[in-house]
mmCIF file with all atom_site columns, all heavy atoms in Angstrom:
data_model
loop_
_atom_site.group_PDB
_atom_site.id
_atom_site.type_symbol
_atom_site.label_atom_id
_atom_site.label_alt_id
_atom_site.label_comp_id
_atom_site.label_asym_id
_atom_site.label_entity_id
_atom_site.label_seq_id
_atom_site.pdbx_PDB_ins_code
_atom_site.Cartn_x
_atom_site.Cartn_y
_atom_site.Cartn_z
_atom_site.occupancy
_atom_site.B_iso_or_equiv
_atom_site.pdbx_formal_charge
_atom_site.auth_seq_id
_atom_site.auth_comp_id
_atom_site.auth_asym_id
_atom_site.auth_atom_id
_atom_site.pdbx_PDB_model_num
ATOM 1  N N   . PHE A 1 185 ? -40.713 -20.764 181.419 1.00 98.00 ? 238 PHE A N   1
ATOM 2  C CA  . PHE A 1 185 ? -41.899 -20.045 180.951 1.00 98.00 ? 238 PHE A CA  1
ATOM 3  C C   . PHE A 1 185 ? -42.286 -18.927 181.922 1.00 98.00 ? 238 PHE A C   1
ATOM 4  O O   . PHE A 1 185 ? -42.476 -17.769 181.525 1.00 98.00 ? 238 PHE A O   1
ATOM 5  C CB  . PHE A 1 185 ? -43.055 -21.032 180.781 1.00 98.00 ? 238 PHE A CB  1
ATOM 6  C CG  . PHE A 1 185 ? -44.370 -20.402 180.457 1.00 98.00 ? 238 PHE A CG  1
ATOM 7  C CD1 . PHE A 1 185 ? -44.720 -20.121 179.147 1.00 98.00 ? 238 PHE A CD1 1
ATOM 8  C CD2 . PHE A 1 185 ? -45.276 -20.092 181.465 1.00 98.00 ? 238 PHE A CD2 1
ATOM 9  C CE1 . PHE A 1 185 ? -45.945 -19.535 178.844 1.00 98.00 ? 238 PHE A CE1 1
ATOM 10 C CE2 . PHE A 1 185 ? -46.501 -19.514 181.171 1.00 98.00 ? 238 PHE A CE2 1
ATOM 11 C CZ  . PHE A 1 185 ? -46.830 -19.227 179.857 1.00 98.00 ? 238 PHE A CZ  1
ATOM 12 N N   . LEU A 1 189 ? -42.377 -14.567 182.115 1.00 98.00 ? 242 LEU A N   1
ATOM 13 C CA  . LEU A 1 189 ? -43.522 -13.728 182.486 1.00 98.00 ? 242 LEU A CA  1
ATOM 14 C C   . LEU A 1 189 ? -43.208 -12.769 183.629 1.00 98.00 ? 242 LEU A C   1
ATOM 15 O O   . LEU A 1 189 ? -44.040 -11.923 183.973 1.00 98.00 ? 242 LEU A O   1
ATOM 16 C CB  . LEU A 1 189 ? -44.713 -14.611 182.866 1.00 98.00 ? 242 LEU A CB  1
ATOM 17 C CG  . LEU A 1 189 ? -45.427 -15.319 181.709 1.00 98.00 ? 242 LEU A CG  1
ATOM 18 C CD1 . LEU A 1 189 ? -46.610 -16.120 182.237 1.00 98.00 ? 242 LEU A CD1 1
ATOM 19 C CD2 . LEU A 1 189 ? -45.891 -14.329 180.648 1.00 98.00 ? 242 LEU A CD2 1
ATOM 20 N N   . GLU A 1 258 ? -47.698 -18.972 171.592 1.00 97.00 ? 311 GLU A N   1
ATOM 21 C CA  . GLU A 1 258 ? -48.663 -18.184 170.812 1.00 97.00 ? 311 GLU A CA  1
ATOM 22 C C   . GLU A 1 258 ? -49.459 -17.283 171.743 1.00 97.00 ? 311 GLU A C   1
ATOM 23 O O   . GLU A 1 258 ? -49.958 -17.723 172.781 1.00 97.00 ? 311 GLU A O   1
ATOM 24 C CB  . GLU A 1 258 ? -49.606 -19.121 170.055 1.00 97.00 ? 311 GLU A CB  1
ATOM 25 C CG  . GLU A 1 258 ? -50.606 -18.396 169.163 1.00 97.00 ? 311 GLU A CG  1
ATOM 26 C CD  . GLU A 1 258 ? -51.484 -19.347 168.383 1.00 97.00 ? 311 GLU A CD  1
ATOM 27 O OE1 . GLU A 1 258 ? -51.094 -20.530 168.220 1.00 97.00 ? 311 GLU A OE1 1
ATOM 28 O OE2 . GLU A 1 258 ? -52.560 -18.915 167.936 1.00 97.00 ? 311 GLU A OE2 1
ATOM 29 N N   . VAL A 1 259 ? -49.572 -16.007 171.375 1.00 97.00 ? 312 VAL A N   1
ATOM 30 C CA  . VAL A 1 259 ? -50.325 -15.033 172.160 1.00 97.00 ? 312 VAL A CA  1
ATOM 31 C C   . VAL A 1 259 ? -51.575 -14.646 171.389 1.00 97.00 ? 312 VAL A C   1
ATOM 32 O O   . VAL A 1 259 ? -51.497 -14.215 170.239 1.00 97.00 ? 312 VAL A O   1
ATOM 33 C CB  . VAL A 1 259 ? -49.480 -13.775 172.455 1.00 97.00 ? 312 VAL A CB  1
ATOM 34 C CG1 . VAL A 1 259 ? -50.321 -12.735 173.213 1.00 97.00 ? 312 VAL A CG1 1
ATOM 35 C CG2 . VAL A 1 259 ? -48.228 -14.131 173.262 1.00 97.00 ? 312 VAL A CG2 1
ATOM 36 N N   . LEU A 1 267 ? -54.332 -13.884 175.875 1.00 98.00 ? 320 LEU A N   1
ATOM 37 C CA  . LEU A 1 267 ? -54.498 -15.263 176.334 1.00 98.00 ? 320 LEU A CA  1
ATOM 38 C C   . LEU A 1 267 ? -53.330 -16.109 175.857 1.00 98.00 ? 320 LEU A C   1
ATOM 39 O O   . LEU A 1 267 ? -52.983 -16.102 174.672 1.00 98.00 ? 320 LEU A O   1
ATOM 40 C CB  . LEU A 1 267 ? -55.808 -15.849 175.803 1.00 98.00 ? 320 LEU A CB  1
ATOM 41 C CG  . LEU A 1 267 ? -56.130 -17.290 176.215 1.00 98.00 ? 320 LEU A CG  1
ATOM 42 C CD1 . LEU A 1 267 ? -56.320 -17.405 177.721 1.00 98.00 ? 320 LEU A CD1 1
ATOM 43 C CD2 . LEU A 1 267 ? -57.383 -17.783 175.477 1.00 98.00 ? 320 LEU A CD2 1
ATOM 44 N N   . ILE A 1 268 ? -52.700 -16.825 176.797 1.00 98.00 ? 321 ILE A N   1
ATOM 45 C CA  . ILE A 1 268 ? -51.609 -17.723 176.464 1.00 98.00 ? 321 ILE A CA  1
ATOM 46 C C   . ILE A 1 268 ? -51.802 -19.026 177.240 1.00 98.00 ? 321 ILE A C   1
ATOM 47 O O   . ILE A 1 268 ? -52.664 -19.123 178.109 1.00 98.00 ? 321 ILE A O   1
ATOM 48 C CB  . ILE A 1 268 ? -50.224 -17.121 176.804 1.00 98.00 ? 321 ILE A CB  1
ATOM 49 C CG1 . ILE A 1 268 ? -50.096 -16.839 178.310 1.00 98.00 ? 321 ILE A CG1 1
ATOM 50 C CG2 . ILE A 1 268 ? -49.969 -15.856 175.997 1.00 98.00 ? 321 ILE A CG2 1
ATOM 51 C CD1 . ILE A 1 268 ? -48.720 -16.352 178.725 1.00 98.00 ? 321 ILE A CD1 1
ATOM 52 N N   . GLU A 1 269 ? -50.995 -20.038 176.911 1.00 98.00 ? 322 GLU A N   1
ATOM 53 C CA  . GLU A 1 269 ? -50.979 -21.288 177.660 1.00 98.00 ? 322 GLU A CA  1
ATOM 54 C C   . GLU A 1 269 ? -49.566 -21.573 178.131 1.00 98.00 ? 322 GLU A C   1
ATOM 55 O O   . GLU A 1 269 ? -48.604 -21.342 177.393 1.00 98.00 ? 322 GLU A O   1
ATOM 56 C CB  . GLU A 1 269 ? -51.458 -22.454 176.784 1.00 98.00 ? 322 GLU A CB  1
ATOM 57 C CG  . GLU A 1 269 ? -52.925 -22.448 176.472 1.00 98.00 ? 322 GLU A CG  1
ATOM 58 C CD  . GLU A 1 269 ? -53.355 -23.725 175.762 1.00 98.00 ? 322 GLU A CD  1
ATOM 59 O OE1 . GLU A 1 269 ? -52.489 -24.579 175.469 1.00 98.00 ? 322 GLU A OE1 1
ATOM 60 O OE2 . GLU A 1 269 ? -54.560 -23.865 175.489 1.00 98.00 ? 322 GLU A OE2 1
ATOM 61 N N   . ARG A 1 275 ? -54.237 -22.325 180.931 1.00 98.00 ? 328 ARG A N   1
ATOM 62 C CA  . ARG A 1 275 ? -54.506 -21.061 180.251 1.00 98.00 ? 328 ARG A CA  1
ATOM 63 C C   . ARG A 1 275 ? -54.343 -19.885 181.215 1.00 98.00 ? 328 ARG A C   1
ATOM 64 O O   . ARG A 1 275 ? -54.767 -19.951 182.372 1.00 98.00 ? 328 ARG A O   1
ATOM 65 C CB  . ARG A 1 275 ? -55.924 -21.041 179.675 1.00 98.00 ? 328 ARG A CB  1
ATOM 66 C CG  . ARG A 1 275 ? -56.160 -22.003 178.544 1.00 98.00 ? 328 ARG A CG  1
ATOM 67 C CD  . ARG A 1 275 ? -57.515 -21.727 177.902 1.00 98.00 ? 328 ARG A CD  1
ATOM 68 N NE  . ARG A 1 275 ? -57.870 -22.777 176.956 1.00 98.00 ? 328 ARG A NE  1
ATOM 69 C CZ  . ARG A 1 275 ? -58.616 -23.825 177.256 1.00 98.00 ? 328 ARG A CZ  1
ATOM 70 N NH1 . ARG A 1 275 ? -59.080 -23.967 178.485 1.00 98.00 ? 328 ARG A NH1 1
ATOM 71 N NH2 . ARG A 1 275 ? -58.895 -24.723 176.335 1.00 98.00 ? 328 ARG A NH2 1
ATOM 72 N N   . ILE A 1 276 ? -53.770 -18.812 180.681 1.00 98.00 ? 329 ILE A N   1
ATOM 73 C CA  . ILE A 1 276 ? -53.512 -17.613 181.489 1.00 98.00 ? 329 ILE A CA  1
ATOM 74 C C   . ILE A 1 276 ? -54.007 -16.398 180.726 1.00 98.00 ? 329 ILE A C   1
ATOM 75 O O   . ILE A 1 276 ? -53.686 -16.207 179.544 1.00 98.00 ? 329 ILE A O   1
ATOM 76 C CB  . ILE A 1 276 ? -52.007 -17.442 181.782 1.00 98.00 ? 329 ILE A CB  1
ATOM 77 C CG1 . ILE A 1 276 ? -51.407 -18.756 182.282 1.00 98.00 ? 329 ILE A CG1 1
ATOM 78 C CG2 . ILE A 1 276 ? -51.781 -16.334 182.797 1.00 98.00 ? 329 ILE A CG2 1
ATOM 79 C CD1 . ILE A 1 276 ? -49.895 -18.795 182.204 1.00 98.00 ? 329 ILE A CD1 1
ATOM 80 N N   . LEU A 1 278 ? -53.656 -12.389 180.611 1.00 98.00 ? 331 LEU A N   1
ATOM 81 C CA  . LEU A 1 278 ? -52.744 -11.335 181.065 1.00 98.00 ? 331 LEU A CA  1
ATOM 82 C C   . LEU A 1 278 ? -53.340 -9.968  180.717 1.00 98.00 ? 331 LEU A C   1
ATOM 83 O O   . LEU A 1 278 ? -53.799 -9.757  179.579 1.00 98.00 ? 331 LEU A O   1
ATOM 84 C CB  . LEU A 1 278 ? -51.369 -11.479 180.403 1.00 98.00 ? 331 LEU A CB  1
ATOM 85 C CG  . LEU A 1 278 ? -50.615 -12.788 180.673 1.00 98.00 ? 331 LEU A CG  1
ATOM 86 C CD1 . LEU A 1 278 ? -50.903 -13.795 179.584 1.00 98.00 ? 331 LEU A CD1 1
ATOM 87 C CD2 . LEU A 1 278 ? -49.123 -12.528 180.760 1.00 98.00 ? 331 LEU A CD2 1
#
Side-chain angles (χ1 to χ4, degrees):
F238 173 86
L242 287 182
E311 183 178 340
V312 177
L320 181 64
I321 61 175
E322 289 188 357
R328 293 190 190 94
I329 312 163
L331 299 93

